[in-house]
Amino acid sequence: MRRSSALAKIITIYIVLILTIFVLANTVGFVALEEVVAQNEKSRMYDEVQYVVDLYVSSYNKIVLYNESVDYDEVDRMIRLSASINGYTVFVVTDTGEVVKDTSDRAVGMNLRDENPDVLGKKYNRSISFPTFDNQQMSVMQSIFYGDDQTISGYVVVFSGIETIAAETTEYMLTVKIGIAIVAVAFLVVLIGAYAWVLYPLKKLGKQALQYSNGDYSNDQFVLVDKEFKTLSASVHYMGITLATKDESQRKFIANISHDFRSPLTNIKGYVEAMKDGTIDKDHQDKYFDILLYETDRLKKLTENLLELNKADRKEMLLDITSFDLHKMIRDIVLTFEQSCKSRKISIVLELFDDSIMVDCDKGKIQQVFYNLIDNAIKFSYNGGKIVIKTRKRRGKVYVSVKDFGVGIAKEKVGRIWERFYKADESRGKDKKGTGIGLSIVKEIISAHKETISVVSTEGYGTEFTFSLSLSEENDEE
C-alpha cells in the first residue's frame, strides 16, 4: 500500500480539525452561547419588571404622600409601550393572584395561583407554560410593596418567549461560524504557503537524495530561496558528487584489483600446468619455481596492503606509539635494499642532521612508510642514479625527505598519486611488482599519526616526498 505524503497527512489533519471545531461550535458552543443569551435576557427582564414596579410605587406615593392625582391610563400606556418595545408581556397581579392588567389583554381576570403557582412562587423561571401563551415562556416576578410596613400589595410579572433566545443564539452562532470559516480559509492559505516554503523543497531534496542512493548522479543542484535550505541543498548536492566520485573509485578499484590478482594467478596457473603436462622438463623447473615464488610474494604483498587499507577505511588503524631512534631505523632499512641497489648501480645517500634523534611514533607503521617510499624511488630511478634521504629538525618536529632523480611524474598526474591502484607509469602493472596502493598506505599511516606528507616532482628530473614526525621529549632531556 502506498504511503500517503506529508501534504496529504497535513490536509487530513486540517480537515478533521476544522470539522471538529464546527461540531463543537454547534453543540457545546451553542449551549454555552444560549446560556449567555438567556442570562442577558433575564437581566433585561429584571430591568423591565423593576421599571413597572417603580411606576406603581411612584403613583402610590403621589396619592398618599403628596395628595396628587394619578392618571392610570397614562401609566398603562407607558407599561404597554415599554413591553411592546422590548417584546415582553407584562402582568399586574393582586396579592391574591388575580390578573388585573395584561398587556396582551388575554389573561385579565385569571388567577395565577390557580393556573400555574410557579409564576408567583419563583422570582425566575427559565421555562414555564401558561394558558394564554402558545409556547414556553421565561418569567421574572417582583413584589409591589406599599406603606410604611412594606406589605405586599401585588406583583408584577414579565414574560418573554424562549423561542426569542433560540433565535438570538442562532443569529450569534451564524456570526461565529462565519468567523470560523474566515479563519479556516486564512489558515488554509498559510498552510499552503508553508508547504510551498518548507515541505515542497524538502520533498524535492528527498527525491534528489533518493536518486543519488539509486546510483543516479545526473541531477544538478536544486537551489532554494531560503538561506538555510540553500545550505542543505548544497550539502545534498555535495553528497551526490562525493558518492559519484566514490562510486567511480570503487569501479576502478575493482577493475584494478582484478587485474593485479589476475596477472600473477594466470602466470602461476600457466607454469603449473606446463610443469604438470611436461612442457617444462624437470631440469628447468627450478627456474620456474623461482618465478612462482616471485608471483606468490606479489599476491601476498597485495593482500597485506589491501588489509591495511581496509583497516584505515574502518578507522581500525590502531597505533602503538613508542619512542625510538629514527636515524638508526633509516640506516637499518637502507641496508635491506642493498641488493636491489647493487643490481642497478643505484646509490642511497643519507643526510641526517645528527647521529640519533628520538621520535614518538608507531615504529612498525613508519618502517612501512620508509620501505614503500624507498622501494618506489628505486623503481623510478635510472640505472646508476642516486637517492637522497634527508632529515631536518624544526619546531618540535623532524621532517624527512626521500628524493630520487629518476623519471619524475607529469604535472597533471601529481595530484592523483595518492589514489588507490593509480599508477603514473602504466607499465608497472605489467612487468613489476607494484600494486598501485603503496602510496595510499603511506598517506593513511601519516594521517593516522596526525602528520603531513607532500610531494614535489618534475617529469624527467625526479620526485621528492617529505613528511613530518613528532619529536620525543627524550631529546629535550638529553
Side-chain angles (χ1 to χ4, degrees), residues 189-207:
V189 172
V190 172
L191 189 65
I192 294 174
Y195 173 78
W197 180 57
V198 179
L199 294 180
Y200 180 73
L202 289 178
K203 186 177 179 181
K204 292 286 288 185
L205 284 177
K207 287 183 178 179

Side-chain angles (χ1 to χ4, degrees), residues 310-318:
N310 184 55
K311 289 180 180 180
D313 284 342
R314 296 169 60 185
K315 310 301 180 185
E316 293 180 358
M317 188 179 282
L318 302 178

Side-chain angles (χ1 to χ4, degrees), residues 397-415:
K397 292 185 181 294
V398 59
Y399 290 85
V400 184
S401 64
V402 179
K403 182 177 182 180
D404 67 68
F405 298 87
V407 298
I409 307 171
K411 182 178 180 181
E412 65 275 10
K413 297 180 178 180
V414 171

